[in-house]
Amino acid sequence: MDVLADLTSLRERCRNWRAQGLTLALVPTMGYLHAGHLSLFDHARTLADRLVVSVFVNPTQFGPNEDLDRYPRDLERDTRLAAEHGVDLLFTPEAGAMYHPDHATWVEVPELAQGLCGASRPVHFRGVCTVVTKLFGLVRPDVAVFGQKDWQQLAIIRRMVRDLDLGVEIVGRPIYREADGLAMSSRNVYLTADERAQAPAIHGGLLRVQAALKAGEADAAKLALIFRAHLAEKLPGARVDYAEFVHPDSLGPVARLGAPTLLAVAVFLGKVRLIDNMLLEV
Ligand code: AMP
C-alpha cells in the first residue's frame, strides 16, 4: 500500500493506473477508522481494480463551534487497518496542502442541504461537496463508495454528481452497527460509559417507529412522537435535534407514509451529536 500526502503524487499515481487501463474506486473518510469504514473498503475493492482511500479531517465542513480540534485521529492505526483491507493507496493530506490560503470556490446543493443536519450545521455540506469534488478531480475515480449512515450526504453527493456530470458512479452502503444496534461512528469514542450504554436507544426508537408503521400508523407526526417518547423513556438525558420523515432522494418532508420514506434523526447526548436513520418500507 502506498501512503501519499502530496496532491501531485496522488494525481500522478492515479493517472498511471488509468493509463494502464485499470479502474479506480475511491472511499473518502475522516479517519479514525472503524468497522463501518472497513465494510466500505471491502465492498469498494470488488468494484474496481485499484482502491484509493482518503483520510482527511476536512476543516471546511466543521462550523466554528464544532469538534474540528478534538476530532479523534490515529493515522498509524488507520494505515494498518487500510493495508489489511486491501487499500492500494492511502491519501493523507495536511489541510494546508488541500486548500490554498485564498481558496474561493465552493460547491453547494442548497436545496438538499437546508434541512436535517444542514439546519444546525449550515456550512457542513458545502464543505463536504467541495472536498469531495476536489478528491474526484485528483483521483478521477470510476466509482466512489459512501455510507448510508450519512444519508443526507449521500443524497447530496448523488445530486451534485448528476447535476455537474462528474461521471463518477456513486454507491451507497448499509449502516454498519455495533452488536447492540448503535450505528458505528468515529464520534462514539466521545461517549461516557453511561452514555454509551444507553445510546442504542436511538436505534431502538427507529425500530419502535418501524413496528408502529407495520401496525398501521402512517401519520408522520404521530410516528415522530413515538420516537421522541421512546428516547424520553430510555435516554432521558438526551435532546432530540431532529426526527424527521423525508423522501429518500429529494429529502422533502413526508406527512403521511404511503411510499418508502426515510426516518432521519440526530440526538445530542451531552455535547455529542449522533445521527442515525432507517429507510421505512410501506
Ligand atoms: P467519516 O469518516 O465519518 O466521514 O465517514 C466516511 C464514510 O464512511 C462516509 O461515507 C460515511 O457515511 C461512512 N460511514 C461512517 N460510519 C458508517 C457506518 N456505521 N456504516 C457504514 N458507513 C459508515
Side-chain angles (χ1 to χ4, degrees):
M1 183 178 79
D2 292 323
V3 183
L4 301 177
D6 173 68
L7 277 67
T8 309
S9 314
L10 170 72
R11 195 193 290 279
E12 266 165 23
R13 185 64 48 90
C14 293
R15 187 183 285 144
N16 283 342
W17 278 333
R18 284 198 314 277
Q20 293 169 42
L22 300 170
T23 56
L24 307 187
L26 170 69
V27 182
T29 82
M30 296 208 298
Y32 210 72
L33 300 177
H34 52 66
H37 294 115
L38 302 177
S39 74
L40 302 188
F41 302 171
D42 292 342
H43 185 71
R45 275 179 58 197
T46 69
L47 303 176
D49 300 315
R50 293 289 181 271
L51 171 56
V52 180
V53 166
S54 58
V55 168
F56 179 54
V57 182
N58 173 34
T60 65
Q61 69 189 65
F62 288 78
N65 299 315
E66 293 182 357
D67 55 346
L68 173 63
D69 293 335
R70 63 186 189 112
Y71 195 84
R73 291 165 169 88
D74 188 344
L75 196 50
E76 209 171 298
R77 182 169 164 276
D78 287 351
T79 305
R80 181 170 51 75
L81 289 171
E84 285 168 9
H85 283 264
V87 175
D88 296 292
L89 197 176
L90 190 68
F91 178 53
T92 61
E94 298 291 332
M98 274 303 268
Y99 290 100
H100 294 277
D102 58 348
H103 176 95
T105 306
W106 299 101
V107 185
E108 287 190 79
V109 190
E111 208 172 295
L112 299 190
Q114 268 151 20
L116 306 178
C117 287
S120 55
R121 307 189 71 191
V123 300
H124 176 66
F125 291 112
R126 183 186 82 157
V128 169
C129 287
T130 302
V131 80
V132 168
T133 303
K134 284 166 69 70
L135 291 168
F136 284 1
L138 289 162
V139 174
R140 309 245 327 259
D142 298 273
V143 56
V145 180
F146 294 86
Q148 290 170 351
K149 162 147 183 292
D150 301 271
W151 189 288
Q152 186 176 18
Q153 166 175 287
L154 178 58
I156 287 173
I157 285 168
R158 281 191 199 284
R159 185 70 67 89
M160 172 185 90
V161 167
R162 188 204 69 178
D163 288 351
L164 298 181
D165 298 306
L166 297 182
V168 180
E169 184 191 345
I170 303 300
V171 172
R173 295 293 294 166
I175 300 176
Y176 206 90
R177 298 180 181 281
E178 303 281 1
D180 59 13
L182 177 64
M184 288 200 185
S185 164
S186 306
R187 290 189 167 98
N188 290 349
V189 295
Y190 297 150
L191 298 172
T192 65
D194 276 356
E195 287 165 348
R196 172 63 193 84
Q198 295 180 350
I202 300 170
H203 181 235
L206 300 178
L207 292 172
R208 183 71 77 86
V209 169
Q210 187 183 45
L213 177 65
K214 276 211 178 98
E217 181 57 72
D219 184 286
K222 289 193 182 139
L223 291 168
L225 283 179
I226 290 171
F227 178 80
R228 285 172 183 275
H230 182 84
L231 275 212
E233 183 196 333
K234 306 279 184 191
L235 247 178
R239 179 170 72 78
V240 178
D241 182 24
Y242 65 78
E244 288 181 28
F245 294 83
V246 297
H247 185 281
D249 302 323
S250 73
L251 307 179
V254 170
R256 209 176 162 76
L257 279 69
T261 299
L262 186 77
L263 168 55
V265 304
V267 175
F268 278 102
L269 270 119
K271 280 189 185 154
V272 189
R273 186 171 173 282
L274 300 178
I275 58 171
D276 204 340
N277 67 72
M278 186 175 279
L279 185 63
L280 299 165
E281 303 290 343
V282 179

PDB file of all heavy atoms in Angstrom, residues 101-121:
ATOM      1  N   PRO A 101      -4.377  29.182   0.525  1.00  0.00           N
ATOM      2  CA  PRO A 101      -4.736  30.180   1.542  1.00  0.00           C
ATOM      3  C   PRO A 101      -5.889  31.083   1.075  1.00  0.00           C
ATOM      4  O   PRO A 101      -6.680  31.549   1.889  1.00  0.00           O
ATOM      5  CB  PRO A 101      -3.458  30.998   1.724  1.00  0.00           C
ATOM      6  CG  PRO A 101      -2.353  30.193   1.128  1.00  0.00           C
ATOM      7  CD  PRO A 101      -2.957  29.234   0.140  1.00  0.00           C
ATOM      8  N   ASP A 102      -5.974  31.318  -0.245  1.00  0.00           N
ATOM      9  CA  ASP A 102      -7.059  32.163  -0.761  1.00  0.00           C
ATOM     10  C   ASP A 102      -8.111  31.333  -1.514  1.00  0.00           C
ATOM     11  O   ASP A 102      -8.709  31.812  -2.479  1.00  0.00           O
ATOM     12  CB  ASP A 102      -6.480  33.266  -1.651  1.00  0.00           C
ATOM     13  CG  ASP A 102      -5.685  32.695  -2.823  1.00  0.00           C
ATOM     14  OD1 ASP A 102      -5.389  31.470  -2.810  1.00  0.00           O
ATOM     15  OD2 ASP A 102      -5.357  33.455  -3.752  1.00  0.00           O
ATOM     16  N   HIS A 103      -8.308  30.085  -1.061  1.00  0.00           N
ATOM     17  CA  HIS A 103      -9.355  29.226  -1.647  1.00  0.00           C
ATOM     18  C   HIS A 103     -10.684  29.997  -1.703  1.00  0.00           C
ATOM     19  O   HIS A 103     -11.098  30.574  -0.708  1.00  0.00           O
ATOM     20  CB  HIS A 103      -9.531  27.966  -0.780  1.00  0.00           C
ATOM     21  CG  HIS A 103     -10.643  27.078  -1.260  1.00  0.00           C
ATOM     22  ND1 HIS A 103     -10.443  26.009  -2.094  1.00  0.00           N
ATOM     23  CD2 HIS A 103     -11.975  27.125  -1.035  1.00  0.00           C
ATOM     24  CE1 HIS A 103     -11.598  25.436  -2.358  1.00  0.00           C
ATOM     25  NE2 HIS A 103     -12.543  26.090  -1.727  1.00  0.00           N
ATOM     26  N   ALA A 104     -11.321  29.994  -2.872  1.00  0.00           N
ATOM     27  CA  ALA A 104     -12.508  30.848  -3.027  1.00  0.00           C
ATOM     28  C   ALA A 104     -13.663  30.161  -3.747  1.00  0.00           C
ATOM     29  O   ALA A 104     -14.672  30.803  -4.033  1.00  0.00           O
ATOM     30  CB  ALA A 104     -12.115  32.121  -3.786  1.00  0.00           C
ATOM     31  N   THR A 105     -13.538  28.856  -4.036  1.00  0.00           N
ATOM     32  CA  THR A 105     -14.541  28.176  -4.861  1.00  0.00           C
ATOM     33  C   THR A 105     -15.294  27.151  -4.022  1.00  0.00           C
ATOM     34  O   THR A 105     -14.671  26.335  -3.331  1.00  0.00           O
ATOM     35  CB  THR A 105     -13.849  27.456  -6.040  1.00  0.00           C
ATOM     36  OG1 THR A 105     -13.047  28.411  -6.729  1.00  0.00           O
ATOM     37  CG2 THR A 105     -14.857  26.844  -6.982  1.00  0.00           C
ATOM     38  N   TRP A 106     -16.607  27.203  -4.087  1.00  0.00           N
ATOM     39  CA  TRP A 106     -17.414  26.290  -3.279  1.00  0.00           C
ATOM     40  C   TRP A 106     -18.429  25.577  -4.138  1.00  0.00           C
ATOM     41  O   TRP A 106     -18.965  26.157  -5.077  1.00  0.00           O
ATOM     42  CB  TRP A 106     -18.147  27.073  -2.177  1.00  0.00           C
ATOM     43  CG  TRP A 106     -17.180  27.750  -1.263  1.00  0.00           C
ATOM     44  CD1 TRP A 106     -16.837  29.073  -1.279  1.00  0.00           C
ATOM     45  CD2 TRP A 106     -16.390  27.139  -0.240  1.00  0.00           C
ATOM     46  NE1 TRP A 106     -15.884  29.319  -0.313  1.00  0.00           N
ATOM     47  CE2 TRP A 106     -15.591  28.157   0.338  1.00  0.00           C
ATOM     48  CE3 TRP A 106     -16.275  25.845   0.236  1.00  0.00           C
ATOM     49  CZ2 TRP A 106     -14.704  27.900   1.375  1.00  0.00           C
ATOM     50  CZ3 TRP A 106     -15.391  25.592   1.268  1.00  0.00           C
ATOM     51  CH2 TRP A 106     -14.619  26.619   1.829  1.00  0.00           C
ATOM     52  N   VAL A 107     -18.690  24.329  -3.795  1.00  0.00           N
ATOM     53  CA  VAL A 107     -19.719  23.546  -4.477  1.00  0.00           C
ATOM     54  C   VAL A 107     -20.851  23.337  -3.474  1.00  0.00           C
ATOM     55  O   VAL A 107     -20.605  22.884  -2.349  1.00  0.00           O
ATOM     56  CB  VAL A 107     -19.171  22.181  -4.942  1.00  0.00           C
ATOM     57  CG1 VAL A 107     -20.218  21.432  -5.742  1.00  0.00           C
ATOM     58  CG2 VAL A 107     -17.894  22.371  -5.756  1.00  0.00           C
ATOM     59  N   GLU A 108     -22.054  23.681  -3.877  1.00  0.00           N
ATOM     60  CA  GLU A 108     -23.192  23.616  -2.946  1.00  0.00           C
ATOM     61  C   GLU A 108     -24.417  23.014  -3.619  1.00  0.00           C
ATOM     62  O   GLU A 108     -24.620  23.210  -4.818  1.00  0.00           O
ATOM     63  CB  GLU A 108     -23.594  25.029  -2.511  1.00  0.00           C
ATOM     64  CG  GLU A 108     -22.654  25.689  -1.563  1.00  0.00           C
ATOM     65  CD  GLU A 108     -23.271  26.965  -1.023  1.00  0.00           C
ATOM     66  OE1 GLU A 108     -24.114  26.880  -0.113  1.00  0.00           O
ATOM     67  OE2 GLU A 108     -22.915  28.037  -1.531  1.00  0.00           O
ATOM     68  N   VAL A 109     -25.218  22.331  -2.816  1.00  0.00           N
ATOM     69  CA  VAL A 109     -26.526  21.849  -3.283  1.00  0.00           C
ATOM     70  C   VAL A 109     -27.553  22.336  -2.249  1.00  0.00           C
ATOM     71  O   VAL A 109     -28.090  21.539  -1.482  1.00  0.00           O
ATOM     72  CB  VAL A 109     -26.548  20.303  -3.400  1.00  0.00           C
ATOM     73  CG1 VAL A 109     -27.811  19.829  -4.110  1.00  0.00           C
ATOM     74  CG2 VAL A 109     -25.310  19.782  -4.132  1.00  0.00           C
ATOM     75  N   PRO A 110     -27.800  23.639  -2.237  1.00  0.00           N
ATOM     76  CA  PRO A 110     -28.560  24.231  -1.131  1.00  0.00           C
ATOM     77  C   PRO A 110     -29.931  23.584  -0.906  1.00  0.00           C
ATOM     78  O   PRO A 110     -30.357  23.413   0.241  1.00  0.00           O
ATOM     79  CB  PRO A 110     -28.718  25.695  -1.524  1.00  0.00           C
ATOM     80  CG  PRO A 110     -27.763  25.944  -2.627  1.00  0.00           C
ATOM     81  CD  PRO A 110     -27.371  24.623  -3.216  1.00  0.00           C
ATOM     82  N   GLU A 111     -30.589  23.201  -2.021  1.00  0.00           N
ATOM     83  CA  GLU A 111     -31.945  22.660  -1.887  1.00  0.00           C
ATOM     84  C   GLU A 111     -31.983  21.434  -0.977  1.00  0.00           C
ATOM     85  O   GLU A 111     -32.943  21.215  -0.261  1.00  0.00           O
ATOM     86  CB  GLU A 111     -32.452  22.295  -3.274  1.00  0.00           C
ATOM     87  CG  GLU A 111     -33.951  22.379  -3.393  1.00  0.00           C
ATOM     88  CD  GLU A 111     -34.345  22.201  -4.846  1.00  0.00           C
ATOM     89  OE1 GLU A 111     -33.982  23.078  -5.661  1.00  0.00           O
ATOM     90  OE2 GLU A 111     -35.000  21.184  -5.146  1.00  0.00           O
ATOM     91  N   LEU A 112     -30.932  20.624  -1.019  1.00  0.00           N
ATOM     92  CA  LEU A 112     -30.920  19.404  -0.202  1.00  0.00           C
ATOM     93  C   LEU A 112     -30.178  19.602   1.122  1.00  0.00           C
ATOM     94  O   LEU A 112     -30.146  18.697   1.959  1.00  0.00           O
ATOM     95  CB  LEU A 112     -30.259  18.247  -0.976  1.00  0.00           C
ATOM     96  CG  LEU A 112     -30.911  17.820  -2.283  1.00  0.00           C
ATOM     97  CD1 LEU A 112     -30.293  16.533  -2.792  1.00  0.00           C
ATOM     98  CD2 LEU A 112     -32.404  17.636  -2.108  1.00  0.00           C
ATOM     99  N   ALA A 113     -29.540  20.758   1.270  1.00  0.00           N
ATOM    100  CA  ALA A 113     -28.642  20.954   2.421  1.00  0.00           C
ATOM    101  C   ALA A 113     -29.239  21.837   3.507  1.00  0.00           C
ATOM    102  O   ALA A 113     -28.573  22.110   4.506  1.00  0.00           O
ATOM    103  CB  ALA A 113     -27.315  21.547   1.946  1.00  0.00           C
ATOM    104  N   GLN A 114     -30.488  22.290   3.292  1.00  0.00           N
ATOM    105  CA  GLN A 114     -31.039  23.219   4.284  1.00  0.00           C
ATOM    106  C   GLN A 114     -31.657  22.527   5.486  1.00  0.00           C
ATOM    107  O   GLN A 114     -31.557  23.026   6.597  1.00  0.00           O
ATOM    108  CB  GLN A 114     -32.053  24.155   3.615  1.00  0.00           C
ATOM    109  CG  GLN A 114     -31.375  25.433   3.135  1.00  0.00           C
ATOM    110  CD  GLN A 114     -32.041  26.059   1.938  1.00  0.00           C
ATOM    111  OE1 GLN A 114     -33.210  25.786   1.653  1.00  0.00           O
ATOM    112  NE2 GLN A 114     -31.301  26.882   1.218  1.00  0.00           N
ATOM    113  N   GLY A 115     -32.280  21.359   5.243  1.00  0.00           N
ATOM    114  CA  GLY A 115     -32.960  20.674   6.335  1.00  0.00           C
ATOM    115  C   GLY A 115     -32.059  19.696   7.059  1.00  0.00           C
ATOM    116  O   GLY A 115     -30.840  19.663   6.848  1.00  0.00           O
ATOM    117  N   LEU A 116     -32.665  18.885   7.926  1.00  0.00           N
ATOM    118  CA  LEU A 116     -31.967  17.816   8.665  1.00  0.00           C
ATOM    119  C   LEU A 116     -30.665  18.364   9.272  1.00  0.00           C
ATOM    120  O   LEU A 116     -30.688  19.366   9.970  1.00  0.00           O
ATOM    121  CB  LEU A 116     -31.726  16.603   7.755  1.00  0.00           C
ATOM    122  CG  LEU A 116     -32.990  16.030   7.057  1.00  0.00           C
ATOM    123  CD1 LEU A 116     -32.614  14.866   6.138  1.00  0.00           C
ATOM    124  CD2 LEU A 116     -34.052  15.596   8.058  1.00  0.00           C
ATOM    125  N   CYS A 117     -29.527  17.712   8.996  1.00  0.00           N
ATOM    126  CA  CYS A 117     -28.257  18.158   9.604  1.00  0.00           C
ATOM    127  C   CYS A 117     -27.858  19.554   9.157  1.00  0.00           C
ATOM    128  O   CYS A 117     -27.181  20.274   9.895  1.00  0.00           O
ATOM    129  CB  CYS A 117     -27.130  17.186   9.268  1.00  0.00           C
ATOM    130  SG  CYS A 117     -27.262  15.637  10.165  1.00  0.00           S
ATOM    131  N   GLY A 118     -28.284  19.940   7.936  1.00  0.00           N
ATOM    132  CA  GLY A 118     -27.920  21.266   7.439  1.00  0.00           C
ATOM    133  C   GLY A 118     -28.508  22.384   8.278  1.00  0.00           C
ATOM    134  O   GLY A 118     -27.944  23.484   8.342  1.00  0.00           O
ATOM    135  N   ALA A 119     -29.634  22.126   8.941  1.00  0.00           N
ATOM    136  CA  ALA A 119     -30.276  23.181   9.731  1.00  0.00           C
ATOM    137  C   ALA A 119     -29.397  23.603  10.905  1.00  0.00           C
ATOM    138  O   ALA A 119     -29.309  24.788  11.231  1.00  0.00           O
ATOM    139  CB  ALA A 119     -31.643  22.706  10.221  1.00  0.00           C
ATOM    140  N   SER A 120     -28.739  22.637  11.547  1.00  0.00           N
ATOM    141  CA  SER A 120     -27.872  23.011  12.671  1.00  0.00           C
ATOM    142  C   SER A 120     -26.401  23.086  12.260  1.00  0.00           C
ATOM    143  O   SER A 120     -25.562  23.507  13.044  1.00  0.00           O
ATOM    144  CB  SER A 120     -28.053  22.034  13.837  1.00  0.00           C
ATOM    145  OG  SER A 120     -27.841  20.715  13.420  1.00  0.00           O
ATOM    146  N   ARG A 121     -26.081  22.674  11.030  1.00  0.00           N
ATOM    147  CA  ARG A 121     -24.690  22.722  10.555  1.00  0.00           C
ATOM    148  C   ARG A 121     -24.660  23.426   9.193  1.00  0.00           C
ATOM    149  O   ARG A 121     -24.477  22.776   8.149  1.00  0.00           O
ATOM    150  CB  ARG A 121     -24.128  21.291  10.441  1.00  0.00           C
ATOM    151  CG  ARG A 121     -24.275  20.449  11.695  1.00  0.00           C
ATOM    152  CD  ARG A 121     -23.503  19.143  11.593  1.00  0.00           C
ATOM    153  NE  ARG A 121     -22.068  19.357  11.644  1.00  0.00           N
ATOM    154  CZ  ARG A 121     -21.147  18.413  11.357  1.00  0.00           C
ATOM    155  NH1 ARG A 121     -21.539  17.209  10.987  1.00  0.00           N
ATOM    156  NH2 ARG A 121     -19.856  18.684  11.438  1.00  0.00           N
TER     157      ARG A 121
END
